[in-house]
Amino acid sequence: MTSQPTVGREIRLASRPVGAPVAANFQTAESEIPELADGQILVRNTWMSVDPYMRGRMDDVPGTLPPFAVGEPLDGSAVGEVIASRSRDVPSGARVSHFLGWREYAVMDAAGAAVIDTDLAPEPAYLGALGVPGLTAYAALTDVAEVREGDVVYVSAAAGAVGSLAGQIARKLGASRVIGSAGGPEKNRLLLDRFGYDAALDHRAGPIAPQLAAAAPDGIDVYLDNVGGDHLEAAIGALRPGGRAALVGAISGYNATEAAPGPSNLFRIVQGELTLRGMLVSSYVGLLPEFIGKAAGWLADGSLRTEQTVLDGLDRAPAALIGVLSGANTGKMLVRLH
């Protein structure tokens, strides 16, 4: 067991960005590690997650999670080793997932951590395929916009953390054809060769709507939206009567300094009796045991393929977030801390 440290480094929000974040919006600082109270644990973080939703928390606006505070450390999903414990439920030596990333060491109530089984899957999997991205894809395609046998499914940001899993999960749920869009030929090759997509659309090569129409001339049944904007408009135009869309994210507008224009074809929702439904993965935490039970087997037998983009060291966390917002990642963006 690692000896207990007295100080640790953390990444704080130095200032709020205007448009895309830059390095100057972040600050690395040292913080004293307090003594543990009854029921608390000290975690040495080994991996942390960087996700597009974090951009919204950098603004001083209300949201599903509170804004990051200027001068305070950021937070987010992480995994690590318990190196000190005053809890009977989570002993020293346990590996846990929790929400106090962006720092080397985290003190928390044991109830705020979940013990993970590293014999079942390696630590990083609990931030990706067995974590929030995997659960998001699974809940979106089983509940929010249910995939039915024979459906044609379209996924945007299909080379990202959620999208790279969603196409494969859609196929397992009975989809007859899965179409993904991503940026650039390299990512599009991965969609076809690694992630099991039948067609790959390159949004950098031209407007997405005609590409989607060519890939699905008879329309689509389900759309998983990670992008918003023109991708959502294209999907609304392609959805067949009774079609369903799960609105998971809208990364195309996260760095916008003005309100992004909405789809111009909303009356198609009426004409096609379409269902467009937003989702917050926090509403589906109860599905996590069911999902892990299935996905761990898929990982073990190789039928669920994953990719990771890894930056090493806490100091690289700001660059990881800046990168994920510009599409620099393939699969899950992770920071390896120790």
Side-chain angles (χ1 to χ4, degrees), residues 74-101:
L74 287 74
D75 58 46
S77 297
V79 296
E81 177 188 3
V82 177
I83 60 173
S85 175
R86 294 188 62 184
S87 166
R88 295 180 179 178
D89 299 324
V90 183
S92 293
R95 302 285 172 158
V96 296
S97 64
H98 60 87
F99 205 68
L100 288 180

Side-chain angles (χ1 to χ4, degrees), residues 129 137-138 141-142 147-151 153 164-178 194-196 198 291 293-306:
Y138 182 75
L141 298 175
T142 58
V147 173
R148 300 164 186 162
E149 194 71 32
D151 277 350
V153 177
S164 60
L165 302 170
Q168 300 174 76
I169 292 172
R171 182 82 71 195
K172 291 178 178 295
L173 296 173
S176 62
R177 181 169 171 79
V178 288
R194 182 157 180 80
F195 300 140
D198 296 297
F291 171 67
K294 294 180 178 180
W298 297 337
L299 286 175
D301 67 20
S303 66
L304 184 64
R305 296 180 173 184
T306 64

